[in-house]
Every structure is written in C-alpha cells, then in structure tokens.
Amino acid sequence: MITTREPDAGAADEAAPVTLHQYSSGYGYSAAGSAVGAHPRARRRPRRWWPILGGALLPAVILAAWWTLSAAGVFPSYRLPSPPAVVLAGVDLAERGLLLPYIGISTQRVLLGFAAGA
C-alpha cells in the first residue's frame, strides 16, 4: 500500500501534499480508477461504434431476409406480404382514416393477452 509522508513535527503549519496516490488500494488502483503510475490515456476506452453498428445492422438484415423470402415465393403473399405491399397497405389505411383505430384495436388485443397471461 502506498502511503504519503507524515508532516514533520517541526512544520506544523505545512500540510502534507494530497495526491491520488494517497488513496491507492493494495491492488494498485487509485481513487481515479487508473493503475498507479500508468498514464491516464493508457486506459482502454469502451468501443462505442459496435452497439450503434449492431443496432443498425440487425433491422437491415431482417428487412433483407423478409424481402428475399417474400420475393422468392417461399411463403404465399397472404402469409408474408412483401415490404412494399405492407407500406402501400399502411398508406391506404391512413388515407381512409382507418390506421389509428386499427392500431388501437391491435394494442388492446396485445394488452388483454398480456393481462390474461400474467
């Protein structure tokens, strides 16, 4: 454990210098969170680009798989319509004023199902 020097008995007016090393633990880490003696920039910063890339990549992969499966005819169009067909249906419902009531009914069904399951 690193300790600081005690003030001299004759120098009562002078205080001991306060450093981060004074608060070091026995494992070699200081109160600042870095290794004792290591440069502060030597700490490895967390990678922030991976969650952003992963968050953007996953929906793109799902959309591409959906589009590919619907275009290849693996599923009939009444079971898995293509993304453009879904967008056109949503626009049509919005123009007729039925989109918000349908969203409300679907939300009500989800909440009732959750309440029954809980």
Side-chain angles (χ1 to χ4, degrees):
M1 178 183 255
I2 300 174
T3 58
T4 59
R5 64 180 177 94
E6 296 293 326
D8 296 333
D13 294 337
E14 294 181 31
V18 178
T19 63
L20 288 177
H21 297 291
Q22 179 180 0
Y23 301 107
S24 297
S25 70
Y27 298 106
Y29 291 95
S30 68
S34 63
V36 175
H39 194 270
R41 293 185 186 207
R43 290 184 293 172
R44 185 178 176 135
R45 293 184 182 174
R47 294 184 180 167
R48 297 180 189 263
W49 58 268
W50 179 245
I52 295 170
L53 180 66
L57 189 61
L58 183 62
V61 167
I62 291 172
L63 183 65
W66 173 20
W67 203 317
T68 303
L69 290 174
S70 64
V74 176
F75 298 102
S77 62
Y78 65 89
R79 286 200 180 163
L80 185 67
S82 65
V86 171
V87 170
L88 288 175
V91 169
D92 181 47
L93 287 174
E95 287 175 351
R96 293 191 293 162
L98 296 174
L99 185 62
L100 290 179
Y102 286 178
I103 290 175
I105 291 169
S106 296
T107 304
Q108 180 184 13
R109 288 178 182 168
V110 168
L111 292 176
L112 287 173
F114 180 75

